[in-house]
Amino acid sequence: MTNENFKRELGSVFDEMAGSPSSALPDRVRSSLANVPEQRGPYWIAGVAATLIALVVIGVLFVGNPLNHQPNKIIPGAGSSPSPSAPASPNPSASATPGSGLPAFVCNSSTGLVTDTTTPPQPPVAFVDQVRTGANAGYDRLTIEFNNTQPSQVDVTPQSTAMFTKSPSGQSVTLAGNAGVLVTMKGADEHTAYSGSTDFKTGYAALVEAQQVQDYEGTVQWGLGLSASGCYRAFFLTSPYRLVIDIQSGS
Amino acid sequence: MFAAVMEQRPQLMVSATAGDAESFAALIEPLLNPAYRLAAVMLADRSLAEDAVQEASVKAWRKLRQLRGDLKSLRPWFLSIVANECRMAKRQRWWSVLKLADMPTSSPGPDRAGSSDLHEALLRLMPDERLPLVLHFYLDLPIDEVALALHVSPSAAKSRIYRAAKRLRSDLTQEEVF
């Protein structure tokens, strides 16, 4: 077998495995890049060092105080009863992405849970440093990135309107869209390491707007405006730590 | 397209390094297709391959200063970030259930038996073993760029390509591979 034959045969097999990327890939990448803050200068190292020192001090105080002990794993949200605003259906339907290895979409659960029983003991505060959105084939994605760890608890609660209450002001805010999802992260902070947008008007098919509605007393909330009530999934990724919320779209 | 963008890249590189995300997007746009193909072969999942390319693009944007304006290294540098993103993605715990059996395999016709054998042999390789083959034989990277992408010397890159090729076809000689 000559080099050319070998190369041609390999290329053909690789082509069969890979196929072609979707035409939306360049737009996805542009969208992601547009939502990433500018590169950090060398001073970020000092910032990270200071943050780490602060975390160590807080961690020592935290471990030394038995009253503050929290579970090591992310625990399910307390509100497991169906929300009045969620579409009622006796049988929750879920549709996994075939072969993707990702969690299934949840369509009518009142509170989506992000659980992870393998997570080591967590420091008390997860610092958000990136938030970005992206449109993908079949779903729109909100990614919230943390620079140190993941929050101790995350609840994802669908609702039938796109109206949310800001905290601590108590003001109501109505996002674009006809339905909503409230993402609540306990043990999180979005004002120390994050300086990006707190309101993304995406105009995607399913996720039309995402807005921060709380960043107060260790709890961060994001309201998601959806074009219609639908299915979603939530999960964590690591390296770096990311909370990913996918809203299923029709396409 | 890659060649056309190469000509404009010094300007794009300057503005991207100065913090212009749009220039960076234009700079890497011709690399998205090879990056996707690399990820798709490493991950054996097209949807996850696009996710990996998207995440790798963001990471590349953050690390652009590390490139220090070296245009020649852009392609292998970016592809190495994509490969690393694929490795990390494979390590995610929910990926532990990803089965090779899930990979699309077409039933071989009489004239495709050889190709099917090669396909099966490729699936048996670890993703990191497929990487040098993809870079050199599929994406047509010269040995020095493969070496940059793998963070090894050119002779080590050549050796990895040959070893992986030998695992596909044990009767191959080095002269037949290169």
Side-chain angles (χ1 to χ4, degrees), chain A residues 10-98:
Chain A
L10 262 181
S12 155
V13 174
F14 282 139
D15 268 336
E16 192 182 329
M17 290 174 77
S20 300
S22 70
S23 56
L25 181 60
D27 290 335
R28 279 181 62 182
V29 169
R30 278 179 193 274
S31 166
S32 299
L33 293 174
N35 292 327
V36 176
E38 285 189 19
Q39 306 153 76
R40 297 166 183 159
Y43 294 110
W44 72 270
I45 297 173
V48 169
T51 305
L52 285 175
I53 291 168
L55 284 175
V56 168
V57 171
I58 291 169
V60 167
L61 293 173
F62 179 77
V63 170
N65 182 355
L67 295 176
N68 282 347
H69 279 172
Q70 292 179 0
N72 292 337
K73 63 179 183 180
I74 296 173
I75 58 172
S80 58
S81 61
S83 159
S85 59
S89 169
N91 298 315
S93 60
S95 56
T97 306

Side-chain angles (χ1 to χ4, degrees), chain A residues 1 3 7 9 15-16 18 21-22 28 30 32 39 99-100 130 132 139 145 236 238-239 242, chain B residues 22 29 36 45-46 48 50-51 54-55 59 62 88 92 94 106 112 138 140 169 176-177:
Chain A
M1 177 187 287
N3 178 20
K7 192 174 169 182
E9 204 175 325
D15 268 336
E16 192 182 329
S22 70
R28 279 181 62 182
R30 278 179 193 274
S32 299
Q39 306 153 76
S100 71
Q130 302 284 331
R132 53 183 177 270
Y139 59 92
E145 189 174 311
F236 277 115
T238 54
S239 303
R242 283 159 287 166
Chain B
E22 193 60 30
E29 187 164 352
Y36 162 80
D45 185 301
R46 296 174 185 184
L48 295 177
E50 293 199 358
D51 287 349
Q54 185 180 7
E55 289 297 334
K59 286 183 180 170
R62 288 188 192 141
M88 286 198 288
Q92 302 300 329
W94 37 75
S106 51
R112 294 188 65 253
Y138 191 36
D140 281 327
R169 290 280 158 86
E176 285 168 334
V177 175

Side-chain angles (χ1 to χ4, degrees), chain B residues 12-86:
Chain B
L12 289 174
M13 190 74 181
V14 168
S15 45
T17 308
D20 181 12
E22 193 60 30
S23 295
F24 181 71
L27 198 61
I28 62 164
E29 187 164 352
L31 300 175
L32 295 181
N33 191 293
Y36 162 80
R37 290 190 287 160
L38 169 65
V41 173
M42 280 191 78
L43 295 173
D45 185 301
R46 296 174 185 184
S47 169
L48 295 177
E50 293 199 358
D51 287 349
V53 172
Q54 185 180 7
E55 289 297 334
S57 302
V58 172
K59 286 183 180 170
W61 170 230
R62 288 188 192 141
K63 295 177 176 176
L64 186 60
R65 286 173 203 275
Q66 294 176 8
L67 198 57
R68 292 172 187 161
D70 182 1
L71 278 174
K72 278 185 175 176
S73 306
L74 178 66
R75 180 165 64 168
W77 174 77
F78 181 63
L79 293 178
S80 74
I81 293 173
V82 173
N84 206 38
E85 185 64 28
C86 293

Side-chain angles (χ1 to χ4, degrees), chain A residues 73-74 115-120, chain B residues 93:
Chain A
K73 63 179 183 180
I74 296 173
T115 58
D116 184 350
T117 55
T118 61
T119 308
Chain B
R93 61 190 170 83

Side-chain angles (χ1 to χ4, degrees), chain B residues 113-150:
Chain B
S115 165
S116 176
D117 288 347
L118 195 56
H119 193 162
E120 296 297 323
L122 270 170
L123 293 184
R124 282 195 294 271
L125 294 183
M126 297 295 289
D128 268 337
E129 289 177 308
R130 282 180 228 155
L131 179 59
L133 293 176
V134 178
L135 292 172
H136 187 58
F137 290 113
Y138 191 36
L139 304 183
D140 281 327
L141 263 63
I143 296 291
D144 58 337
E145 286 195 30
V146 176
L148 284 172
L150 297 178

